[in-house]
Amino acid sequence: DPLKMMSNAGNFQAALKAAYPEMSDDDLNKKFENTARSRDLAKRVYLEQIATTKGNFEMPLGTVAGINLMKVSNGDYEKYEKFETEIFQPMHQKEVDAGIRGNWGLLRYILPVGSDVYATHITVDMYKDYNQLFNGGATDGPAMSKDQIRKIQEGLDSRDLKFKYMATLIRTTKTIQHAFKTITHHCCDHKCHQPYCLGTLLAFSRSLSNIRR
């Protein structure tokens, strides 16, 4: 619901008191102020999920996610999203079904927008651990036809892979399902001939706005 999302729906103060019922209002305010001073909220991104693979991936501790930031010109949105959903999503689904991938998803920026925005789309690759990531990436798939290779290259040319984050799930709670710690990142330009560098790391089944680094 975009209206709820943009209006910060939910009673945060009630949630805070429910989490720390024995703490006074003054102590709660001090704790919250200390938390705010401990970090810099550098950027907030609102996203719409466009596509995701099907499956029952539960995201165990140790889950590895590759977060790929893509920049697409406004005129190429439809072309790029069609490329991801018609070419790569079926390939990723086969990997999920074969047990060599956890999940994949495609998300589009709602906000911020504008020519200076760093990215317009995000793809996320998910694996239950690094063992699945590297072993899956080493598995040879069926040979591709020249037409398939041409379509893949056209799709790759429709976007610029600006940045890749690698993250590992280090803890969960009942309300925070994505407590990811960024451990490394990888850069690539749009000339890369692989679908994604580091052996595709695919997607959240939930909104990336729930990530806590």
Side-chain angles (χ1 to χ4, degrees):
D1 185 333
L3 181 60
K4 290 181 179 179
M5 178 175 68
M6 300 308 296
S7 60
N8 293 318
N11 191 330
F12 183 80
Q13 195 67 25
L16 192 61
K17 287 190 175 184
Y20 304 100
E22 304 301 321
M23 198 174 293
S24 68
D25 288 346
D26 285 343
D27 287 339
L28 280 174
N29 289 334
K30 288 177 183 177
K31 284 270 186 191
F32 188 67
E33 289 172 4
N34 288 337
T35 299
R37 284 197 294 265
S38 71
R39 89 289 191 270
D40 174 25
L41 179 57
K43 184 175 293 186
R44 175 176 285 149
V45 178
Y46 293 90
L47 301 153
E48 176 185 1
Q49 183 170 271
I50 304 300
T52 183
T53 52
K54 298 178 181 178
N56 57 355
F57 186 56
E58 295 295 333
M59 293 188 5
L61 292 178
T63 292
V64 176
I67 305 167
N68 311 287
L69 278 68
M70 309 291 188
K71 184 68 175 284
V72 179
S73 65
N74 287 334
D76 285 337
Y77 272 32
E78 183 177 357
K79 178 181 178 181
Y80 167 68
E81 291 171 7
K82 184 176 180 180
F83 155 70
E84 288 284 5
T85 56
E86 294 187 3
I87 302 297
F88 275 117
Q89 186 176 355
M91 296 168 61
H92 302 327
Q93 186 64 58
K94 288 181 180 179
E95 293 181 331
V96 170
D97 295 341
I100 58 177
R101 179 187 298 280
N103 186 253
W104 170 90
L106 169 66
L107 303 104
R108 181 199 302 143
Y109 274 47
I110 298 175
L111 288 174
V113 295
S115 59
D116 289 337
V117 174
Y118 189 72
T120 59
H121 293 75
I122 290 177
T123 61
V124 186
D125 312 313
M126 247 184 219
Y127 298 85
K128 66 180 181 180
D129 52 30
Y130 274 101
N131 185 57
Q132 186 183 53
L133 188 160
F134 291 124
N135 286 339
T139 303
D140 292 331
M144 293 185 182
S145 66
K146 289 185 178 180
D147 185 57
Q148 287 176 313
I149 295 173
R150 177 185 59 79
K151 289 181 179 179
I152 288 175
Q153 189 57 55
E154 287 178 356
L156 295 175
D157 290 341
S158 71
R159 94 290 191 268
D160 179 10
L161 175 56
K162 302 291 290 184
F163 219 75
K164 174 186 287 289
Y165 292 92
M166 297 294 294
T168 302
L169 181 62
I170 58 174
R171 77 175 177 276
T172 62
T173 70
K174 291 181 181 179
T175 56
I176 301 176
Q177 295 300 320
H178 303 293
F180 281 88
K181 177 183 178 182
T182 301
I183 56 172
T184 185
H185 60 264
H186 214 72
C187 295
C188 175
D189 61 34
H190 68 284
K191 301 298 184 182
C192 177
H193 285 64
Q194 298 299 324
Y196 299 101
C197 295
L198 260 183
T200 3
L201 317 160
L202 300 150
F204 290 118
S205 60
R206 303 176 182 87
S207 168
L208 284 179
S209 62
N210 288 329
I211 290 179
R212 300 293 185 270
R213 290 182 187 168

